[in-house]
């Protein structure tokens, strides 16, 4: 089995996350993509609008129709601040049958600050870093390119102008957002009155 990991706040999960995971699986031949919702991100102030259990439930709903995707709850179960290095070590033990290194999927918007991640220098020992397209503006792209000292692979995924923060704002402002998330996630958000 070849395993790749896509972590995030998933507040909420959206079509951009799913398309990036699918692009990586197809481009690099991963059998399984683990979606890992963070309990607390070291880079974000809390997760407004819903609970960790809500975010976990939405991830499970979003990926239910793809047998290559699975939801890994380890960071939510562990609680506290979620660090990538801890999750990679956990997954290496959980899946000893894994072929080669785990693939760590990140957006190009995270490249510039990668050296500030906990034990960043050891992450390439556990994972092949795979960078997907997230940045839209040229200024940010140039800054991310200058941070290219991190050894990584690229995936040429479709660049979608969608973000979790944008979806939350659209819900609050009563703007259109329905088709930015899978239908089951839309129903869950509406039923539980999240982000209103």
């Amino acid at each position: 089995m070849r395993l790749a990991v896509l972590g995030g706040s998933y507040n909420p999960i959206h079509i951009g996350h799913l398309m990036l995971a699918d692009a990586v699986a197809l481009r690099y031949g991963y059998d399984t993509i683990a979606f890992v919702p963070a309990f607390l991100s070291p880079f974000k102030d809390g997760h407004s609008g819903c609970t960790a259990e809500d975010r976990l439930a939405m991830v499970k709903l979003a990926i239910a129709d793809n047998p290559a995707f699975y939801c890994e709850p380890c960071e939510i179960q562990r609680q506290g601040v979620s660090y990538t290095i801890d999750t990679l070590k956990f997954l290496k033990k959980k899946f000893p049958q894994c072929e080669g290194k785990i693939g760590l999927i990140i957006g190009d918007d995270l490249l510039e600050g990668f050296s500030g991640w906990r034990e960043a220098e050891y992450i390439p020992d556990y994972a092949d870093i795979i960078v997907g397209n997230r940045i839209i503006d040229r200024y940010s792209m140039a800054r991310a390119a200058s941070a290219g000292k991190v050894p990584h692979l690229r995936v040429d995924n479709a660049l979608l102008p969608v973000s979790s923060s944008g979806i939350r704002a659209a819900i609050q402002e009563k703007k259109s957002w329905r088709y930015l998330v899978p239908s089951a996630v839309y129903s869950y958000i509406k039923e539980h009155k999240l982000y209103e």
Side-chain angles (χ1 to χ4, degrees), residues 5 36 40 42 72 74-76 78-94 102 104 117-120 122-123 126-127:
V5 177
V36 186
L40 284 176
E72 174 53 63
C74 67
E75 292 186 0
I76 287 177
R78 190 164 58 228
Q79 302 201 345
V81 176
S82 300
Y83 294 108
T84 299
I85 190 72
D86 297 333
T87 299
L88 291 171
K89 289 175 180 177
F90 169 84
L91 290 171
K92 194 164 175 61
K93 283 184 187 170
K94 182 173 180 175
I102 294 169
L104 173 63
W117 292 22
R118 175 174 280 193
E119 298 183 35
Y122 300 114
I123 289 175
Y126 291 89

Side-chain angles (χ1 to χ4, degrees), residues 18-143:
L18 300 171
M19 287 188 66
L20 175 57
D22 189 53
V24 169
L26 290 170
R27 172 68 178 85
Y28 290 108
Y30 287 98
D31 306 298
T32 304
I33 307 286
F35 287 73
V36 186
F39 182 72
L40 284 176
S41 167
F43 306 110
K44 295 184 180 176
D45 297 329
H47 300 299
S48 60
C50 70
T51 66
E53 290 73 26
D54 286 324
R55 294 184 294 106
L56 189 64
M58 288 188 283
V59 169
K60 289 178 179 177
L61 288 168
I63 65 174
D65 65 347
N66 188 331
F69 292 171
Y70 97 95
C71 181
E72 174 53 63
C74 67
E75 292 186 0
I76 287 177
Q77 290 170 348
R78 190 164 58 228
Q79 302 201 345
V81 176
S82 300
Y83 294 108
T84 299
I85 190 72
D86 297 333
T87 299
L88 291 171
K89 289 175 180 177
F90 169 84
L91 290 171
K92 194 164 175 61
K93 283 184 187 170
K94 182 173 180 175
F95 297 106
Q97 75 276 26
C98 223
E99 293 174 31
K101 292 181 187 178
I102 294 169
L104 173 63
I105 307 166
I106 66 171
D108 52 7
D109 54 326
L110 299 178
L111 261 184
E112 186 180 12
F114 186 83
S115 61
W117 292 22
R118 175 174 280 193
E119 298 183 35
E121 67 274 23
Y122 300 114
I123 289 175
D125 295 340
Y126 291 89
D128 289 321
I129 300 163
I130 303 166
V131 177
N133 299 320
R134 289 266 328 252
I135 296 174
I136 297 170
D137 67 278
R138 292 183 185 277
Y139 173 71
S140 296
M141 287 173 78
R143 281 182 26 213

Side-chain angles (χ1 to χ4, degrees), residues 176-191:
S176 176
W177 61 276
R178 177 175 188 157
Y179 298 104
L180 301 178
V181 298
S183 59
V185 173
Y186 174 80
S187 298
Y188 186 95
I189 291 171
K190 294 294 281 184
E191 180 185 342

